[in-house]
Amino acid sequence: MNELPLKPYTKDAASKAKGTKPTRVRTNIVILTFLSIVIAYMDRANLSVASVTIMKEHGWNTAQWGSILSAFFVGYLVLQIPAGWIADKIGGKRVLAAGVAWWSIFTAATPFARGLNSLWIVRAFMGFGEAVTFPAETAMASNWVPVKERARSQAWNLSGMALSLAVSVPISAWIINTFGWPAVFYFAGLLGLIWTFFWLWYAKDRPADHPKVNQEELELIGAGHGAKKEHSNNMSAVLRSGPVWALAINYFFQNYSWYLYLTWLPGYLVMARHFSILKMGIYGMMPYLGAFIITNLAGYISDRMIPKIGVTRARKYIMYAAFGGSALFLYLGAMAATGGMAVLWITLAVSFLSMNFSSFWALPIDLGPKNAGLISGIMNTFGTIAGIIAPIVTGFIVNATGSWVYALSVAIILSIIGIFVCAFFVSGKQVVD
């Protein structure tokens, strides 16, 4: 991706004399990428909220439904690395716009798929479009976000997942209960297309190309980025880097738990804890409200720790707390005697797990600023493999044993393994341009 050459600015001397403040266009760009993630996760969650309704309508069991829930991630897997490489090379703007438009069309097409095979295909094509989201967003962030704001900016973007789930779960439950399940997919698809038009009108790949950015903001963004070079997309150096692979492997452990919650939490509350659809919608928002708050807090703390303890320890300390808290509270949730206590402990489990996102999505930029899209694509490939496996394994275990405790125990064990991978292999030291 092209880096951040400072454009000529004819009023530079005058503006400095007047103490002109930097513009805040970078904030608007981050808000727009945040909204794209909100829409993406609304589209992902809709099928989970509608799970029990559709399963009853078609007579499908948990094992069959687990394959449908995993279909999205099969499509999602295909474009992770190519999307990151392309976003680094041509910029994230067009890549992200194409992805949002594509997945929005297939979201709206979901109700027209009436059988297992056709629904599987539609969900896979939807995942194909969403695959570009995080690599393209990270490529944009590497150009637009100052070094000192990386973790909090990425935390804000990733907290869009939690906010989307917190808001969309009760709204989707209400829409399904009032208008029927197809309506929720039509609404989400239209919202994504509206976002695409606005993004294409406002966003630029490089701050220097944006007409609203002043010289002070350009200098603020460029501070700490090092020498301003042209694009340096170095796939071979990235693929040889041990810390990149450690990050990717650990993201598998992180995302197994995350996608377990995303795909099966609504069904768990209805089937295991006997909540109604509307009650599930209300209580199901609590874990994600907690996650929204904690994700942003973790990003702020991580950035504040860097001057005192360095990048690597600042990122890793957050990860220790995230994995440890997730394992502990998920265990308590699985063993809780009542539905209310289960929701309380699972809220804490999801909240702690979400702390990880600030570190995981700042580290690709830390490891290789000019290759951040590629590195995040590799990382998210492993996370997506977890997304394929978690719904299938969970559905199979529940169907075979009738026990949700065994299914949740897999996530607990993987979180514990994540602590050790983080301790011995994860690093925040830059390894490639």
mmCIF file of all heavy atoms in Angstrom, residues 3-4 6 142 145-150 218-228 311 365-366 369-370 430:
data_model
loop_
_atom_site.group_PDB
_atom_site.id
_atom_site.type_symbol
_atom_site.label_atom_id
_atom_site.label_comp_id
_atom_site.label_asym_id
_atom_site.label_seq_id
_atom_site.Cartn_x
_atom_site.Cartn_y
_atom_site.Cartn_z
ATOM 1 N N GLU A 3 2.393 4.580 1.174
ATOM 2 C CA GLU A 3 2.464 5.137 2.515
ATOM 3 C C GLU A 3 2.046 6.599 2.533
ATOM 4 O O GLU A 3 1.284 7.026 1.713
ATOM 5 C CB GLU A 3 3.880 4.940 3.062
ATOM 6 C CG GLU A 3 4.135 3.489 3.429
ATOM 7 C CD GLU A 3 3.157 2.994 4.479
ATOM 8 O OE1 GLU A 3 3.102 3.585 5.575
ATOM 9 O OE2 GLU A 3 2.460 2.034 4.219
ATOM 10 N N LEU A 4 2.581 7.378 3.384
ATOM 11 C CA LEU A 4 1.993 8.662 3.700
ATOM 12 C C LEU A 4 2.877 9.852 3.334
ATOM 13 O O LEU A 4 3.295 10.612 4.204
ATOM 14 C CB LEU A 4 1.698 8.722 5.210
ATOM 15 C CG LEU A 4 0.855 7.563 5.741
ATOM 16 C CD1 LEU A 4 0.873 7.582 7.250
ATOM 17 C CD2 LEU A 4 -0.561 7.686 5.212
ATOM 18 N N LEU A 6 3.849 13.446 2.561
ATOM 19 C CA LEU A 6 3.152 14.672 2.917
ATOM 20 C C LEU A 6 2.965 15.533 1.680
ATOM 21 O O LEU A 6 3.924 15.866 0.981
ATOM 22 C CB LEU A 6 3.958 15.447 3.964
ATOM 23 C CG LEU A 6 4.219 14.675 5.271
ATOM 24 C CD1 LEU A 6 4.936 15.584 6.260
ATOM 25 C CD2 LEU A 6 2.935 14.153 5.856
ATOM 26 N N SER A 142 -3.467 1.289 8.710
ATOM 27 C CA SER A 142 -2.013 1.459 8.672
ATOM 28 C C SER A 142 -1.620 2.758 7.985
ATOM 29 O O SER A 142 -0.547 3.304 8.233
ATOM 30 C CB SER A 142 -1.360 0.273 7.971
ATOM 31 O OG SER A 142 -1.628 0.292 6.584
ATOM 32 N N VAL A 145 -3.949 5.840 10.706
ATOM 33 C CA VAL A 145 -3.910 5.914 12.170
ATOM 34 C C VAL A 145 -2.488 6.148 12.668
ATOM 35 O O VAL A 145 -1.579 5.386 12.324
ATOM 36 C CB VAL A 145 -4.478 4.621 12.795
ATOM 37 C CG1 VAL A 145 -4.407 4.685 14.317
ATOM 38 C CG2 VAL A 145 -5.920 4.409 12.345
ATOM 39 N N PRO A 146 -2.261 7.183 13.473
ATOM 40 C CA PRO A 146 -0.948 7.402 14.066
ATOM 41 C C PRO A 146 -0.535 6.227 14.947
ATOM 42 O O PRO A 146 -1.390 5.516 15.498
ATOM 43 C CB PRO A 146 -1.143 8.672 14.915
ATOM 44 C CG PRO A 146 -2.349 9.337 14.345
ATOM 45 C CD PRO A 146 -3.223 8.240 13.840
ATOM 46 N N VAL A 147 0.771 6.014 15.078
ATOM 47 C CA VAL A 147 1.281 4.889 15.854
ATOM 48 C C VAL A 147 0.703 4.873 17.264
ATOM 49 O O VAL A 147 0.293 3.836 17.778
ATOM 50 C CB VAL A 147 2.822 4.948 15.918
ATOM 51 C CG1 VAL A 147 3.353 3.878 16.867
ATOM 52 C CG2 VAL A 147 3.416 4.766 14.529
ATOM 53 N N LYS A 148 0.638 6.033 17.904
ATOM 54 C CA LYS A 148 0.203 6.085 19.298
ATOM 55 C C LYS A 148 -1.289 5.826 19.476
ATOM 56 O O LYS A 148 -1.767 5.706 20.601
ATOM 57 C CB LYS A 148 0.560 7.440 19.906
ATOM 58 C CG LYS A 148 -0.186 8.621 19.288
ATOM 59 C CD LYS A 148 0.211 9.919 19.941
ATOM 60 C CE LYS A 148 -0.561 11.109 19.376
ATOM 61 N NZ LYS A 148 -0.194 12.381 20.024
ATOM 62 N N GLU A 149 -2.025 5.740 18.368
ATOM 63 C CA GLU A 149 -3.468 5.498 18.451
ATOM 64 C C GLU A 149 -3.872 4.125 17.909
ATOM 65 O O GLU A 149 -5.055 3.834 17.794
ATOM 66 C CB GLU A 149 -4.225 6.586 17.664
ATOM 67 C CG GLU A 149 -4.033 7.984 18.204
ATOM 68 C CD GLU A 149 -4.706 9.055 17.342
ATOM 69 O OE1 GLU A 149 -5.462 8.676 16.413
ATOM 70 O OE2 GLU A 149 -4.462 10.251 17.573
ATOM 71 N N ARG A 150 -2.905 3.259 17.599
ATOM 72 C CA ARG A 150 -3.206 2.026 16.895
ATOM 73 C C ARG A 150 -4.151 1.098 17.667
ATOM 74 O O ARG A 150 -5.170 0.644 17.145
ATOM 75 C CB ARG A 150 -1.918 1.261 16.588
ATOM 76 C CG ARG A 150 -1.189 1.766 15.364
ATOM 77 C CD ARG A 150 0.109 1.017 15.164
ATOM 78 N NE ARG A 150 0.860 1.567 14.039
ATOM 79 C CZ ARG A 150 2.116 1.258 13.771
ATOM 80 N NH1 ARG A 150 2.768 0.397 14.562
ATOM 81 N NH2 ARG A 150 2.735 1.794 12.737
ATOM 82 N N LEU A 218 -1.735 15.543 8.589
ATOM 83 C CA LEU A 218 -0.795 14.693 7.865
ATOM 84 C C LEU A 218 0.463 14.426 8.682
ATOM 85 O O LEU A 218 0.963 13.306 8.745
ATOM 86 C CB LEU A 218 -0.408 15.346 6.540
ATOM 87 C CG LEU A 218 -1.419 15.260 5.388
ATOM 88 C CD1 LEU A 218 -0.933 16.075 4.207
ATOM 89 C CD2 LEU A 218 -1.651 13.810 4.992
ATOM 90 N N GLU A 219 0.978 15.470 9.333
ATOM 91 C CA GLU A 219 2.184 15.305 10.133
ATOM 92 C C GLU A 219 1.908 14.456 11.377
ATOM 93 O O GLU A 219 2.752 13.663 11.797
ATOM 94 C CB GLU A 219 2.736 16.674 10.520
ATOM 95 C CG GLU A 219 3.278 17.443 9.323
ATOM 96 C CD GLU A 219 3.677 18.869 9.658
ATOM 97 O OE1 GLU A 219 3.445 19.285 10.819
ATOM 98 O OE2 GLU A 219 4.216 19.548 8.775
ATOM 99 N N LEU A 220 0.737 14.615 11.955
ATOM 100 C CA LEU A 220 0.363 13.813 13.119
ATOM 101 C C LEU A 220 0.262 12.338 12.741
ATOM 102 O O LEU A 220 0.767 11.461 13.451
ATOM 103 C CB LEU A 220 -0.971 14.292 13.688
ATOM 104 C CG LEU A 220 -1.557 13.469 14.846
ATOM 105 C CD1 LEU A 220 -0.633 13.511 16.051
ATOM 106 C CD2 LEU A 220 -2.941 13.991 15.211
ATOM 107 N N ILE A 221 -0.364 12.060 11.606
ATOM 108 C CA ILE A 221 -0.504 10.674 11.144
ATOM 109 C C ILE A 221 0.857 10.076 10.818
ATOM 110 O O ILE A 221 1.154 8.924 11.154
ATOM 111 C CB ILE A 221 -1.421 10.600 9.912
ATOM 112 C CG1 ILE A 221 -2.861 10.957 10.299
ATOM 113 C CG2 ILE A 221 -1.381 9.216 9.286
ATOM 114 C CD1 ILE A 221 -3.788 11.139 9.114
ATOM 115 N N GLY A 222 1.716 10.876 10.185
ATOM 116 C CA GLY A 222 3.009 10.363 9.752
ATOM 117 C C GLY A 222 4.017 10.194 10.857
ATOM 118 O O GLY A 222 4.977 9.431 10.709
ATOM 119 N N ALA A 223 3.825 10.855 12.001
ATOM 120 C CA ALA A 223 4.795 10.793 13.101
ATOM 121 C C ALA A 223 4.945 9.358 13.584
ATOM 122 O O ALA A 223 3.979 8.695 13.937
ATOM 123 C CB ALA A 223 4.341 11.685 14.248
ATOM 124 N N GLY A 224 6.182 8.864 13.573
ATOM 125 C CA GLY A 224 6.450 7.520 14.064
ATOM 126 C C GLY A 224 6.328 6.442 13.011
ATOM 127 O O GLY A 224 6.644 5.284 13.271
ATOM 128 N N HIS A 225 5.905 6.797 11.799
ATOM 129 C CA HIS A 225 5.789 5.788 10.748
ATOM 130 C C HIS A 225 7.132 5.497 10.086
ATOM 131 O O HIS A 225 7.234 4.587 9.300
ATOM 132 C CB HIS A 225 4.812 6.270 9.666
ATOM 133 C CG HIS A 225 3.376 6.027 10.015
ATOM 134 N ND1 HIS A 225 2.669 4.962 9.512
ATOM 135 C CD2 HIS A 225 2.518 6.701 10.822
ATOM 136 C CE1 HIS A 225 1.425 4.992 9.989
ATOM 137 N NE2 HIS A 225 1.318 6.047 10.779
ATOM 138 N N GLY A 226 8.132 6.272 10.401
ATOM 139 C CA GLY A 226 9.436 6.058 9.793
ATOM 140 C C GLY A 226 9.519 6.721 8.434
ATOM 141 O O GLY A 226 8.717 7.566 8.071
ATOM 142 N N ALA A 227 10.521 6.321 7.678
ATOM 143 C CA ALA A 227 10.737 6.901 6.351
ATOM 144 C C ALA A 227 9.549 6.630 5.455
ATOM 145 O O ALA A 227 8.978 5.556 5.470
ATOM 146 C CB ALA A 227 11.999 6.318 5.725
ATOM 147 N N LYS A 228 9.213 7.614 4.671
ATOM 148 C CA LYS A 228 8.065 7.498 3.786
ATOM 149 C C LYS A 228 8.490 6.882 2.468
ATOM 150 O O LYS A 228 9.053 7.521 1.601
ATOM 151 C CB LYS A 228 7.437 8.878 3.540
ATOM 152 C CG LYS A 228 7.163 9.656 4.795
ATOM 153 C CD LYS A 228 6.243 8.912 5.714
ATOM 154 C CE LYS A 228 5.997 9.704 6.988
ATOM 155 N NZ LYS A 228 5.317 8.943 8.027
ATOM 156 N N VAL A 311 5.956 -2.381 23.342
ATOM 157 C CA VAL A 311 4.830 -2.879 22.560
ATOM 158 C C VAL A 311 4.502 -4.325 22.901
ATOM 159 O O VAL A 311 3.351 -4.683 23.133
ATOM 160 C CB VAL A 311 5.116 -2.746 21.049
ATOM 161 C CG1 VAL A 311 4.029 -3.441 20.227
ATOM 162 C CG2 VAL A 311 5.203 -1.277 20.659
ATOM 163 N N ILE A 365 -0.079 -4.451 12.349
ATOM 164 C CA ILE A 365 0.542 -3.165 12.014
ATOM 165 C C ILE A 365 1.879 -3.036 12.730
ATOM 166 O O ILE A 365 2.850 -2.519 12.176
ATOM 167 C CB ILE A 365 -0.390 -1.994 12.383
ATOM 168 C CG1 ILE A 365 -1.778 -2.197 11.777
ATOM 169 C CG2 ILE A 365 0.195 -0.662 11.896
ATOM 170 C CD1 ILE A 365 -2.794 -1.139 12.183
ATOM 171 N N ASP A 366 1.971 -3.515 13.978
ATOM 172 C CA ASP A 366 3.233 -3.489 14.721
ATOM 173 C C ASP A 366 4.293 -4.346 14.022
ATOM 174 O O ASP A 366 5.454 -3.944 13.913
ATOM 175 C CB ASP A 366 3.035 -4.024 16.149
ATOM 176 C CG ASP A 366 2.096 -3.171 16.977
ATOM 177 O OD1 ASP A 366 2.063 -1.943 16.757
ATOM 178 O OD2 ASP A 366 1.404 -3.727 17.851
ATOM 179 N N PRO A 369 4.150 -2.623 9.136
ATOM 180 C CA PRO A 369 3.203 -1.567 8.748
ATOM 181 C C PRO A 369 2.810 -1.584 7.272
ATOM 182 O O PRO A 369 1.651 -1.349 6.941
ATOM 183 C CB PRO A 369 3.950 -0.273 9.103
ATOM 184 C CG PRO A 369 4.927 -0.677 10.157
ATOM 185 C CD PRO A 369 5.331 -2.078 9.826
ATOM 186 N N LYS A 370 3.757 -1.863 6.391
ATOM 187 C CA LYS A 370 3.451 -1.849 4.955
ATOM 188 C C LYS A 370 2.838 -3.157 4.480
ATOM 189 O O LYS A 370 2.425 -3.279 3.323
ATOM 190 C CB LYS A 370 4.704 -1.526 4.156
ATOM 191 C CG LYS A 370 5.315 -0.162 4.462
ATOM 192 C CD LYS A 370 6.546 0.079 3.615
ATOM 193 C CE LYS A 370 7.178 1.407 3.958
ATOM 194 N NZ LYS A 370 7.745 1.429 5.327
ATOM 195 N N GLN A 430 8.693 -5.231 15.276
ATOM 196 C CA GLN A 430 8.539 -5.182 13.819
ATOM 197 C C GLN A 430 9.514 -6.148 13.171
ATOM 198 O O GLN A 430 10.719 -6.160 13.455
ATOM 199 C CB GLN A 430 8.802 -3.767 13.299
ATOM 200 C CG GLN A 430 8.561 -3.636 11.797
ATOM 201 C CD GLN A 430 8.624 -2.197 11.310
ATOM 202 O OE1 GLN A 430 8.345 -1.265 12.056
ATOM 203 N NE2 GLN A 430 9.015 -2.019 10.050
#
